[in-house]
Amino acid sequence: MRPVKVGICGLGTVGGGTFNVLKRNAAEIARRAGRDIEVEQIAARHLNPACELGDTPVTEDVFALVDNPEIDIIVELIGGYGVARDVVMRAIANGKHVVTANKALIAVHGNEIFKAASEKGVMVAFEASVAGGIPIIKALREGLAANRINWVAGIINGTGNFILTEMRDKGRAFEDVLAEAQALGYAEADPAFDVEGIDAAHKLTILASIAFGIPLQFDKAYTEGITRLTTDDVNYAEALGYRIKHLGVARRTETGVELRVHPTLIPEDRLIANVNGVMNAVMVHGDAVGPTLYYGAGAGAEPTASAVVADIIDVVRTLTTDPNNRVPHLAFQANSLSDLPVLPVEQIETAYYLRLHAQDRPGVLAKVATILSERGINIESIVQMEAEEQDGLVPMILLTHEVIEQQMNDAIAAIEALEDIAGPVIRIRVEQLN
Amino acid sequence: MRPVKVGICGLGTVGGGTFNVLKRNAAEIARRAGRDIEVEQIAARHLNPACELGDTPVTEDVFALVDNPEIDIIVELIGGYGVARDVVMRAIANGKHVVTANKALIAVHGNEIFKAASEKGVMVAFEASVAGGIPIIKALREGLAANRINWVAGIINGTGNFILTEMRDKGRAFEDVLAEAQALGYAEADPAFDVEGIDAAHKLTILASIAFGIPLQFDKAYTEGITRLTTDDVNYAEALGYRIKHLGVARRTETGVELRVHPTLIPEDRLIANVNGVMNAVMVHGDAVGPTLYYGAGAGAEPTASAVVADIIDVVRTLTTDPNNRVPHLAFQANSLSDLPVLPVEQIETAYYLRLHAQDRPGVLAKVATILSERGINIESIVQMEAEEQDGLVPMILLTHEVIEQQMNDAIAAIEALEDIAGPVIRIRVEQLN
C-alpha cells in the first residue's frame, strides 16, 4: 500500500518530538501499522535544533500545508485557540483527518470541531491532549467501554505536582518552588494555567465528556489553584496520614456531574498519593472493573509525541472503515449524548479538612462541633495541634465525613463568626479514591 | 443496524460476570457501540446462581453454540487447553470472531490460533487474558504503538501478590498465607499455577510478544516461584529500602529477549512496589514515552468481564473494516514478526540480592568480595546483620550491580565452596524499574 502522508503544523517541543519519533521508529511503526507513515511537509516559523529535517519540505504558510492534496493527516501542534482552530476546521473542510495535542482547543471548541468532523466523515484524534504519553483517552473510550464510569480523578498537571512534591519532601514554600519550576522550564512564563488549575480543567473537561457521555463544558468546571497552600497544611495532612495533590475530579451523581479541580487530601496509602514530581496519573472507577490507574509522563517532547503518533496509527487503521462504525470522538454516539447537568460547586459532595485558629480556652471545640452537627456534618477526627502561635491561638484540624458543599459553606461562615475563632477557616477537600 | 449476537461458552465466574455486565450496562454499551449487543445463547453444564438468565437459551452442547448461524461472536470462557481450543478453532473455521480470557490457551497455542484467524479474516481478541480488567493489551498494542518498547514488568498474579503483601505487612510465613488465600478462594486448589509463576509466565509470554513483535514462546520462559521466600528476606529487603514482588519481566537486549518470572527486589519508592493485595499492575517502558504503569483488578468476575466486553465492542467496530487494516493480533504484522531469540536465563542481565551465612571471623568478607570482583561483579552495598544465629554464623546481605546471570552462578558456586560459608547462598534478583 502507498505510504500514509502526514503534515506537521508546528515544530516546537511536541512537533519536534513527533517528527523525531516518526523518523527514528519508522521501521517499528511500519511493522505495526502495516504501511509506511511519512512526513510529507512541515509548517513552522522557526526550525527546531533537535530535528534533522533532511529533505522534508518546510513552509511558513500553515494553510498551504492544510491545502496540500498529498497529505492525508494533518497534525496540529501549534497550540492555543487562534490559528490552531482555523487549521483544524479547514483541514476538516478539506476532508482530511486531524491529530492534535491541543487540550485548550478541544475543551473549549471540541463540540463544534467534532460536529464538523462527523459531517465530513473524518476523525479528529486527541490522545495527546490529556496526560501526555499516558494512553488514557484510549483506556477510557475503548478499554473500559463495558463500564458505567463512576468517577475519574487525576493528577494531570505536572508542574503543579512538581511544586506539591517539593513542598512536601523539602518543606519548601510555594513561591520558592514555582520560581525553580519556571527556571527549569516546567512552568509557563505566566504560570496561571498550571497553578490555578486551568490546564487541568481543560483536561478534566475532556475526560468527563468521554467518561459520562456529556458534551464538553469547560465553562462549567470549578477551578481552584494551589497558590494559597502552605507548608503548614502539607505537614498537618501528612501527620494525619494524607498527601495533598492538585486533583481533577469528575464524578457522576444522581443529579448531575461534578467537574472540579482543587487541592485534595488523599490517604497516603493510595497509589495516586505516591505519584511524585512532574509525573501524571489518572484513576478511573468503573462499575465492573472497580478502581484502575494509569501513570506516566504527562508532558515533554517525546512522551507527548508517543500519543500523537499512536493517534496517527489509529487514524491509518480507520482509513478503510465505515465512518459510522468508528469509536465516537467523545466515546458515545453523538446522537446519544446525555444532558446530565454539570453541578455548581455548591452541590458537590465531598469530605473536608478544616484548619481553624482558635483561642486556647474551654468550650471552643464544643461550639464548633455543635455548628457542624446542626448541619448534619459528621466529624471524622479532630486534632488540636500544640500551641505554637501568638495571641493565644492554637491551630485545630478537623476531618469531616462527606457532605454537600453548601452545607459546609454555611458551617464555615458560622464558625468564622465565632468570637473564639480568628481569621478565615482553611478548607481543603478530601477524597478517599477507593 | 441489526443487533450483534454473542454466544457465551462457559458460565463460571467470568462467564457469569460477562453475562451480567452485558445485561446491566446494555444501554450504556449501546450508546458507545452504536448498536445493541445481545447474548443469543449460552453453553454451560451448570447454571450460575449470580445470573438471571431470563429467556436466554442455554445448551449443554458447546459446539451447537459454535455452529449456531445466528451468532457473530463466540466468547470462550471455559479455560484450559482442551475443549476451549476446539471451540476457538471451530469458531474460526466457521468464520466467527472470537473473544477469550484464556491466557494458557493463547500463550501455548496462540501462534496456531492467530494464523488460522488471519486466514479466515476473523479476529481473536484476548484483552482479558492478561491482568483482568486492566486494558494493558490495548495500551501496549495501540496506545504505545509509536514506541520501541524497552521492557515490560508486571505484578500479574493476584494470589502471589496477596501472599507477599501479607508476609511483609504482618510478618506471616508463606505457608500460612497460602492456606488463607485458598480458604478465601483466591488460590487454585492446586496452587502451583499461582505460586510457581506458571500463570504469570503465560501472561508475560503474551505481553512480550506484543511488546517486541516475536512469536509466542511460553516454553522458553524462565519461571521461579515464591515458595522458598522467607520472612527474613522480606525483612532484610525492607531494611535496605526494597520490597519483594513476584514479577514478570520481559526485556529487549542487543542479543535477544529476556522472559522471566521470579521474586524481585524493587526500590520501595517505585509505584509498582506499592501495589498490594490481590491487585495487578504492569509497567511498560517505551523509548519515547519512558516509564508508564497500568493498575487495577487482575481477576474476579466483573473486572475480567470488563475486558471481555470491551473486546466484544472492539470486534463490533471491526465488523466493517478491511481485515488487512486491523490491529494485528500480536501488535505487529504477522509477516514482520522478529526472530530475536528468547535468551536462556544464564544470559539475562540483572542485579542481585545475596544472603550468605558466614562464620563471624575476619577475612570472610574479603574472600567474598574477591570472588565477586574476579568475575567483574560490582558490589552496591554489604550489610552484616547482627549475629543472631547458632554455630557462630551471621547473615551477610550483599546488593550487586547488574551482571550476566552466568557470572553470578559461577560466583555463587565459588562462594558456597568457601569454608567460612555455611549452606546455600540465597539469591533474589533486583530490578530498578526506572
Side-chain angles (χ1 to χ4, degrees):
Chain A
M1 276 195 279
R2 152 182 178 282
V4 174
K5 308 275 190 176
V6 169
I8 298 178
C9 307
L11 203 62
T13 302
V14 179
T18 298
F19 179 86
N20 287 341
V21 169
L22 279 171
K23 187 175 164 190
R24 185 179 72 235
N25 289 348
E28 195 95 349
I29 290 167
R31 282 178 65 207
R32 290 197 179 93
R35 57 202 288 191
D36 290 323
I37 297 172
E38 294 177 358
V39 178
E40 176 74 11
Q41 193 177 20
I42 294 168
R45 295 221 195 112
H46 308 285
L47 294 184
N48 184 328
C51 300
E52 290 181 23
L53 296 184
D55 53 6
T56 308
V58 180
T59 175
E60 292 200 3
D61 177 3
V62 69
F63 294 102
L65 185 152
V66 173
D67 295 340
N68 182 338
E70 293 297 314
I71 294 176
D72 305 293
I73 304 172
I74 302 292
V75 181
E76 184 279 302
L77 301 171
I78 300 166
Y81 315 98
V83 176
R85 182 182 175 190
D86 296 340
V87 161
V88 169
M89 294 305 287
R90 184 143 145 191
I92 292 168
N94 287 346
K96 294 183 192 298
H97 300 280
V98 174
V99 172
T100 178
N102 192 330
K103 57 245 174 187
L105 181 65
I106 295 297
V108 175
H109 297 292
N111 298 323
E112 161 200 10
I113 288 168
F114 298 143
K115 184 163 182 290
S118 296
E119 284 167 9
K120 285 296 254 182
V122 299
M123 279 185 71
V124 176
F126 52 98
E127 178 66 76
S129 69
V130 179
I134 308 172
I136 182 62
I137 302 281
K138 184 172 282 285
L140 195 48
R141 204 164 62 167
E142 303 174 40
L144 303 179
N147 291 265
R148 184 178 164 88
I149 304 296
N150 295 316
W151 51 264
V152 176
I155 296 172
I156 44 184
N157 180 278
T159 305
N161 201 47
F162 171 77
I163 292 172
L164 293 181
T165 302
E166 290 288 303
M167 287 176 72
R168 169 180 172 264
D169 288 357
K170 300 176 187 162
R172 298 171 64 189
F174 172 82
E175 296 74 16
D176 176 31
V177 191
L178 175 59
E180 185 193 344
Q182 288 177 300
L184 286 170
Y186 293 162
E188 306 290 331
D190 173 1
F193 262 51
D194 293 319
V195 299
E196 297 294 356
I198 301 164
D199 175 72
H202 283 144
K203 296 164 180 167
L204 183 69
T205 297
I206 297 170
L207 292 175
S209 282
I210 292 174
F212 308 127
I214 58 174
L216 295 153
Q217 294 162 76
F218 170 69
D219 56 323
K220 305 265 179 64
Y222 171 76
T223 306
E224 183 179 313
I226 55 173
T227 54
R228 284 167 300 173
L229 269 187
T230 64
T231 49
D232 279 351
D233 290 313
V234 170
N235 293 336
Y236 292 147
E238 188 86 6
L240 294 165
Y242 290 83
R243 304 273 165 84
I244 300 180
K245 293 294 183 185
H246 201 192
L247 212 65
V249 178
R251 175 179 282 133
R252 172 170 16 203
T253 74
E254 295 280 306
T255 52
V257 170
E258 301 180 357
L259 192 59
R260 47 192 171 97
V261 175
H262 50 67
T264 312
L265 269 74
I266 305 170
E268 66 187 0
D269 65 353
R270 301 293 183 270
L271 222 50
I272 197 168
N274 294 283
V275 170
N276 292 321
V278 297
M279 300 303 278
N280 280 202
V282 179
M283 290 189 74
V284 181
H285 191 288
D287 68 340
V289 76
T292 61
L293 178 141
Y294 310 85
Y295 162 90
E302 293 217 350
T304 310
S306 171
V308 169
V309 174
D311 268 352
I312 293 172
I313 297 169
D314 266 3
V315 170
V316 168
R317 297 222 189 276
T318 64
L319 293 178
T320 55
T321 56
D322 173 359
N324 294 313
N325 197 25
R326 291 178 189 147
V327 180
H329 288 109
L330 291 178
F332 294 77
Q333 302 291 320
N335 61 8
S336 74
L337 292 190
S338 158
D339 57 3
L340 201 64
V342 174
L343 298 171
V345 70
E346 293 77 15
Q347 293 180 30
I348 71 164
E349 188 170 1
T350 185
Y352 295 84
Y353 159 103
L354 303 179
R355 173 156 60 93
L356 286 54
H357 292 259
Q359 297 294 336
D360 192 9
R361 57 187 177 218
V364 181
L365 181 56
K367 287 180 195 168
V368 169
T370 301
I371 287 172
L372 292 170
S373 162
E374 284 171 355
R375 284 155 188 86
I377 302 173
N378 289 316
I379 298 170
E380 163 99 18
S381 60
I382 300 184
V383 184
Q384 185 106 340
M385 297 296 165
E386 287 186 23
E388 292 173 5
E389 308 198 3
Q390 298 178 316
D391 309 324
L393 294 171
V394 291
M396 183 192 297
I397 310 294
L398 285 95
L399 291 177
T400 77
H401 285 271
E402 293 193 354
V403 57
I404 300 291
E405 178 126 333
Q406 183 61 56
Q407 298 289 94
M408 181 53 76
N409 291 346
D410 294 347
I412 287 175
I415 293 169
E416 287 177 343
L418 291 174
E419 266 188 15
D420 308 299
I421 301 294
V425 172
I426 305 296
R427 162 240 309 265
I428 307 176
R429 297 174 189 85
V430 180
E431 294 288 340
Q432 293 298 321
L433 301 181
N434 55 5
Chain B
M1 276 195 278
R2 154 183 177 281
V4 175
K5 308 276 190 174
V6 169
I8 298 178
C9 307
L11 203 62
T13 303
V14 179
T18 298
F19 179 85
N20 286 342
V21 169
L22 279 172
K23 186 175 164 190
R24 185 179 71 236
N25 289 348
E28 195 97 349
I29 289 168
R31 284 177 65 205
R32 290 195 179 95
R35 57 202 288 192
D36 290 323
I37 296 173
E38 294 176 359
V39 178
E40 177 74 11
Q41 192 177 20
I42 294 169
R45 294 219 195 113
H46 307 284
L47 294 184
N48 184 328
C51 299
E52 291 181 22
L53 296 184
D55 54 5
T56 307
V58 181
T59 174
E60 291 200 3
D61 178 2
V62 69
F63 295 102
L65 185 152
V66 173
D67 294 341
N68 182 340
E70 293 296 314
I71 294 177
D72 306 293
I73 304 172
I74 303 291
V75 181
E76 184 280 301
L77 302 171
I78 301 166
Y81 315 98
V83 175
R85 181 182 175 191
D86 296 340
V87 162
V88 168
M89 294 305 287
R90 183 142 143 194
I92 293 169
N94 287 346
K96 295 183 191 297
H97 300 280
V98 174
V99 173
T100 178
N102 193 329
K103 56 243 173 190
L105 181 66
I106 296 298
V108 175
H109 297 293
N111 297 323
E112 161 201 8
I113 289 168
F114 297 144
K115 184 164 182 291
S118 296
E119 284 167 8
K120 285 296 255 183
V122 298
M123 279 185 71
V124 176
F126 53 98
E127 177 67 76
S129 69
V130 180
I134 308 172
I136 182 63
I137 303 280
K138 185 173 281 286
L140 195 47
R141 203 164 64 168
E142 304 173 41
L144 303 178
N147 291 265
R148 186 178 162 87
I149 304 297
N150 295 316
W151 53 262
V152 176
I155 296 172
I156 44 183
N157 181 278
T159 305
N161 201 47
F162 171 77
I163 292 171
L164 294 180
T165 302
E166 290 287 303
M167 288 176 71
R168 170 181 172 263
D169 287 357
K170 301 176 186 162
R172 297 171 64 188
F174 172 82
E175 295 76 13
D176 176 30
V177 190
L178 175 60
E180 186 195 344
Q182 289 177 298
L184 287 170
Y186 293 163
E188 306 289 331
D190 174 1
F193 262 52
D194 293 319
V195 300
E196 296 294 356
I198 301 164
D199 175 73
H202 283 144
K203 296 164 180 168
L204 184 69
T205 297
I206 297 170
L207 292 175
S209 282
I210 292 174
F212 308 127
I214 58 174
L216 295 152
Q217 294 162 76
F218 171 67
D219 56 322
K220 306 264 179 65
Y222 172 78
T223 305
E224 184 179 312
I226 55 173
T227 54
R228 283 168 300 172
L229 269 186
T230 65
T231 48
D232 278 352
D233 289 313
V234 170
N235 293 336
Y236 292 147
E238 188 85 7
L240 295 165
Y242 290 82
R243 304 272 166 84
I244 300 182
K245 293 294 182 184
H246 202 193
L247 213 65
V249 179
R251 175 179 282 133
R252 171 165 23 198
T253 74
E254 296 279 307
T255 52
V257 170
E258 301 180 357
L259 192 59
R260 47 190 170 100
V261 175
H262 50 67
T264 312
L265 269 73
I266 306 170
E268 66 187 0
D269 64 354
R270 301 292 184 269
L271 222 48
I272 197 169
N274 295 282
V275 170
N276 292 322
V278 295
M279 299 304 278
N280 280 201
V282 179
M283 290 189 74
V284 181
H285 192 287
D287 69 340
V289 75
T292 61
L293 178 142
Y294 311 84
Y295 163 90
E302 293 217 350
T304 311
S306 171
V308 170
V309 174
D311 269 352
I312 294 173
I313 298 170
D314 266 3
V315 171
V316 169
R317 298 220 189 277
T318 63
L319 293 177
T320 55
T321 57
D322 173 359
N324 294 312
N325 197 25
R326 292 179 188 147
V327 180
H329 288 109
L330 292 178
F332 293 78
Q333 301 291 321
N335 62 7
S336 73
L337 292 190
S338 159
D339 58 3
L340 201 63
V342 174
L343 298 171
V345 69
E346 294 76 16
Q347 292 180 31
I348 70 163
E349 187 170 3
T350 185
Y352 295 85
Y353 159 103
L354 303 178
R355 173 156 61 93
L356 285 56
H357 292 258
Q359 297 293 338
D360 191 10
R361 55 188 179 220
V364 181
L365 182 56
K367 289 179 195 168
V368 170
T370 301
I371 288 172
L372 293 170
S373 163
E374 285 171 355
R375 286 155 185 86
I377 301 171
N378 290 315
I379 299 170
E380 164 97 18
S381 60
I382 299 185
V383 184
Q384 184 106 340
M385 296 297 165
E386 287 186 22
E388 294 174 2
E389 307 197 5
Q390 299 177 316
D391 309 324
L393 295 172
V394 291
M396 183 192 296
I397 310 295
L398 286 95
L399 291 176
T400 77
H401 285 270
E402 293 193 353
V403 57
I404 299 291
E405 178 127 332
Q406 184 59 57
Q407 298 289 95
M408 181 52 75
N409 291 345
D410 293 349
I412 288 175
I415 292 169
E416 287 178 343
L418 290 175
E419 266 186 14
D420 308 299
I421 300 294
V425 173
I426 305 297
R427 161 240 308 262
I428 308 175
R429 297 172 189 86
V430 181
E431 295 288 339
Q432 293 299 319
L433 302 182
N434 56 4

